[in-house]
Amino acid sequence: MRASPHAFGLQVTSGSRVVNVGLVVTGTDFLLSMVESRWAARNGDARKMDLQLKARQELEKIEQQLSRLQSAPGQNDDLRNQIKQLNDRIDSLRIEVSANHDAWQRTELARHPQRPYALDYIERIFTDFSEIHGDRGFGDDPAIVAGMARFQGQEVMIIGHQKARDTKQKVYRNFGMPNPEGYRKALRVMKIAEKFRRPLFTFVDTPGAYPGLGAEERGQAEAIARNLREMARLQVPIITTITGEGGSGGALAIAIADRVLMMENSIYSVISPEGCASIMWRDATKKELAAQALHITAKDLSELGCVDSIVPEPDGGAHTDHAAAAALLAESLKNNLEQLKKLPVSELVDARYNKFRKMAQFFRVEV
């Protein structure tokens, strides 16, 4: 039988005859069924998931108990011993919980409200930070912070998405979703970096570029596209770190880099798990399944060759210890910058261009 455009064919050999067996299944349905079966196989152990949930619940209770004990007046030896035992138990539970994080759990960690944002890292890693405001065309965008700083004595330029924790600041920062003027401000800083031969560090943490009417009227797509082009040929070393969420073109607009690093519990994807589930299954509650299918974690993307290195986080996640997370990131930034500074500019730019041109190309050799 002849296969339709939406069918898969199977050849069966019987003696000297070759029989074509047609399987009429839409491509989308076939892929979704593969995803669902793989998800079921990977997550079929309900007992393991229950144990992990109990560990998280116990961790929350112990942290609350520890907070009460630490605030108690007149601590004696018995109380200090209890505090030490609770700290030891917290450490073991954090290791137990983090060892089995699936894609959705890492998504929740990447969005944790206490996770360090760009300014938190800048404060702990860099010195003499001087912020630059405005795109010299329309206005300033607080969703992107940018400026000059020193990294271990060397002058550098910095660009980063900035989220917030309280309601007032979230509105001010537009929930970390930049407008076109934000990306044009970033481009202005990139050009300063190139003019004065300063390495460029970028920090990505955004759900995506702002999709509002005003942003579209002011050329959101053009601003992102221009940044992609200019970063691809910028003649200075560029190091990007995905610190939380890396959402679609809004993230990529400051992420065309010689080295792309990902924090251990960050995510990087063309669409959010909720958005993917709404499109593919017409059901946003399948976000966990979508997160697994999208391969958005640092481990997945490192295996696919989309990122260069994974930066470890403190036990429990970066939100548990900002200083420790910044120290781990600073060490990785230092090592990568030292490597990039050894390369001639022409070789640096060519390698960056080829890196992104070859990304996501897969070949299968049939013998």
Side-chain angles (χ1 to χ4, degrees):
M1 77 185 241
R2 186 175 180 180
S4 70
H6 299 291
F8 294 90
L10 176 66
Q11 285 191 338
V12 180
T13 304
S14 176
S16 59
R17 291 192 308 158
V18 176
V19 181
N20 290 321
V21 180
L23 179 63
V24 184
V25 180
T26 66
T28 302
D29 288 343
F30 178 74
L31 292 174
L32 291 181
S33 66
M34 287 178 61
V35 169
E36 289 171 344
S37 61
R38 188 173 298 175
W39 167 262
R42 184 175 294 182
N43 297 279
D45 192 347
R47 183 174 177 274
K48 180 179 178 181
M49 295 179 69
D50 289 341
L51 290 174
Q52 192 175 356
L53 177 61
K54 289 178 181 177
R56 287 201 300 272
Q57 293 171 342
E58 183 183 351
L59 180 59
E60 291 175 2
K61 291 179 181 177
I62 292 177
E63 285 177 337
Q64 293 172 1
Q65 183 180 354
L66 179 62
S67 178
R68 288 195 296 270
L69 290 176
Q70 287 176 332
S71 60
Q75 295 186 7
N76 53 31
D77 289 341
D78 289 340
L79 190 57
R80 282 191 286 270
N81 286 333
Q82 289 182 41
I83 291 174
K84 183 180 182 303
Q85 290 174 1
L86 289 175
N87 277 318
D88 292 341
R89 180 57 180 160
I90 285 173
D91 291 340
S92 63
L93 283 171
R94 282 176 175 168
I95 293 172
E96 181 181 341
V97 170
S98 62
N100 296 303
H101 280 325
D102 62 20
W104 177 249
Q105 289 168 331
R106 293 196 187 277
T107 301
E108 291 183 316
L109 281 176
R111 296 170 175 174
H112 196 287
Q114 298 304 316
R115 194 170 178 83
Y117 299 141
L119 287 175
D120 297 310
Y121 285 115
I122 290 170
E123 177 185 351
R124 291 166 174 81
I125 297 175
F126 302 90
T127 59
D128 303 318
F129 177 62
S130 178
E131 189 171 354
I132 293 173
H133 295 276
D135 67 342
R136 291 184 172 175
F138 179 82
D140 188 39
D141 184 0
I144 282 190
V145 295
M148 301 169 283
R150 286 188 173 88
F151 177 63
Q152 300 184 345
Q154 180 176 355
E155 293 181 336
V156 299
M157 303 300 291
I158 301 172
I159 302 169
H161 297 104
Q162 180 63 27
K163 291 182 177 179
R165 295 186 174 89
D166 61 71
T167 303
K168 183 178 179 180
Q169 280 292 310
K170 284 179 180 179
V171 172
Y172 174 67
R173 299 287 181 183
N174 200 31
F175 298 87
M177 296 185 289
N179 282 285
E181 51 270 23
Y183 292 115
R184 292 177 178 130
K185 175 172 68 173
L187 180 60
R188 177 186 166 198
V189 172
M190 294 174 199
K191 290 300 183 180
I192 294 173
E194 186 174 51
K195 180 177 180 179
F196 294 102
R197 301 295 179 187
R198 296 182 180 181
L200 177 63
F201 293 95
T202 71
F203 298 91
V204 172
D205 188 8
T206 179
Y210 185 59
L213 178 61
E216 295 297 332
E217 289 175 342
R218 296 193 299 277
Q220 184 73 287
E222 185 273 342
I224 292 173
R226 185 180 294 272
N227 278 20
L228 300 181
R229 184 188 70 182
E230 295 301 323
M231 287 192 82
R233 60 191 186 187
L234 207 66
Q235 298 192 3
V236 291
I238 308 173
I239 301 176
T240 289
T241 306
I242 315 297
T243 60
E245 287 184 276
S248 192
L252 197 60
I254 63 168
I256 304 297
D258 304 294
R259 295 285 188 275
V260 180
L261 317 179
M262 278 189 76
M263 300 299 290
E264 183 181 358
N265 292 312
S266 61
I267 59 171
Y268 197 18
S269 175
V270 71
I271 191 172
S272 69
E274 296 92 333
C276 175
S278 296
I279 293 170
M280 300 303 292
W281 289 279
R282 303 292 191 270
D283 183 1
T285 62
K286 290 195 174 184
K287 57 192 177 184
E288 297 181 28
L289 176 57
Q292 195 73 39
L294 284 168
H295 294 281
I296 59 179
T297 66
K299 182 177 181 293
D300 289 334
L301 292 167
S302 179
E303 291 173 354
L304 290 171
C306 296
V307 300
D308 300 294
S309 180
I310 300 174
V311 182
E313 296 184 17
D315 292 338
H319 62 280
T320 63
D321 192 337
H322 289 194
L328 290 166
L329 177 56
E331 184 64 25
S332 184
L333 294 177
K334 176 186 174 183
N335 294 337
N336 281 279
L337 182 59
E338 288 175 351
Q339 295 171 16
L340 294 174
K341 285 166 62 178
K342 297 175 183 177
L343 300 175
V345 171
S346 59
E347 186 177 331
L348 191 74
V349 174
D350 287 344
R352 185 190 312 147
Y353 178 82
N354 290 328
K355 168 191 174 70
F356 282 87
R357 287 290 294 174
K358 293 177 181 177
M359 200 172 287
Q361 291 185 9
F362 301 93
F363 301 93
R364 184 178 65 183
V365 179
E366 295 184 359
V367 180

